[in-house]
Amino acid sequence: MMARWRNNPESYGRLARGLHWGVALLFIAAYCAVYYRHWFTVKDTPENWIALQLHLSIGVTIAVFVILRVIWVMQESHPLPPPGKPWEHVAARAMHILLYVIMIYMPLTGYLGTKADTEFFFLFDIPKFPDTALFQWLVTDKFGLSFEEWEAPLDFIHKKSGAYLVWVLVLLHAGAAIYHHVVRRDNTLRRMWSGQ
Ligand code: HEM
Ligand code: HEM
């Protein structure tokens, strides 16, 4: 049978599934890298730096996946929702939109508020935002802010959301998928996992 790349009314196609699970794995990896750094490394050691660089590289990769995902989702129709009450459909839809918002603002606040270059998986360097012409034009000239003033709110949003909000919402979302699979015994998880 020919591989089905696009969604159909019953389930997700290959591309939507690949992008979804790719991002899900990268989210877990971004968390592992940053909390490995916090909990298991000592400041100013090579391990500490490598863990940070892995977090930055994984975060930038998520941004690339998300750009592709948004382009794809904008011209794809969503499979029909599984059977459920109207409020459940609204809750699932609201959660999916919220997860998109998170997938966009987490890498953005991370990159715009960091004073380290990203050594992308130690292959090549991505210059930090304060070294770019855009920073000079927008932040220094237009807003008249120093990097510290600019960075403080972005850092706050990135770190507080990462520490208290994002993982809670992802767990709720994954929990709902498992609930559908185990309790309701419908194909919600299967249609994202194998497209069946
Ligand atoms: C969806 C992508 C991302 C997620 C889920 C994420 C999540 C997190 C989390 C959970 C923390 C630790 C918060 C804390 O407890 O203090 C953190 C810290 C940080 N993130 Fe991200 N992040 C992402 C992308 C990025 C990107 C793209 C960059 C920069 C290029 C970045 C730069 C940083 C920096 C510099 C820190 C502070 C590191 C530290 O305190 O050790 N993040 N992020
Ligand atoms: C790791 C555990 C995860 C599981 C078990 C899981 C499971 C699922 C399932 C079964 C669906 C299909 C729901 C439906 O058809 O109504 C779905 C959709 C979705 N998931 Fe996840 N997911 C996980 C992680 C994530 C993460 C980390 C994100 C993003 C931060 C995410 C964002 C989304 C979005 C936006 C949709 C809507 C469909 C789309 O536009 O791709 N998921 N997920």
Side-chain angles (χ1 to χ4, degrees), residues 27 31 35 37-38 55-56 59 106-107 110-111 114 158-159 162-163:
F27 258 69
Y31 266 91
Y35 284 116
R37 175 175 206 246
H38 282 202
H55 180 72
L56 306 190
M106 283 305 283
Y111 174 73
T114 301
H158 189 84
K159 288 188 181 163

Side-chain angles (χ1 to χ4, degrees), residues 78-98:
H78 224 258
L80 297 169
K85 300 189 187 72
W87 76 263
E88 291 171 329
H89 294 152
V90 173
R93 189 97 191 97
M95 177 64 98
H96 293 166
I97 292 170
L98 203 56

Side-chain angles (χ1 to χ4, degrees), residues 91-180:
R93 189 97 191 97
M95 177 64 98
H96 293 166
I97 292 170
L98 203 56
L99 290 173
Y100 270 105
V101 172
I102 285 171
M103 285 187 276
I104 293 165
Y105 85 69
M106 283 305 283
L108 261 183
T109 50
Y111 174 73
L112 297 177
T114 301
K115 44 182 166 308
D117 289 331
T118 299
E119 296 171 14
F120 190 78
F121 294 109
F122 307 103
L123 297 171
F124 57 88
D125 285 2
I126 301 172
K128 56 185 179 289
F129 183 55
D131 282 353
T132 61
L134 182 62
F135 179 84
Q136 185 64 37
W137 175 77
L138 186 74
V139 181
T140 313
D141 300 346
K142 283 248 185 281
F143 298 158
L145 295 175
S146 67
F147 179 69
E148 283 65 31
E149 292 165 324
W150 161 259
E151 170 224 41
L154 294 172
D155 225 39
F156 181 84
I157 295 170
H158 189 84
K159 288 188 181 163
K160 294 289 178 223
S161 314
Y164 302 110
L165 180 71
V166 172
W167 63 269
V168 178
L169 293 178
V170 170
L171 277 188
L172 278 173
H173 167 73
I178 292 165
Y179 169 76
H180 272 275

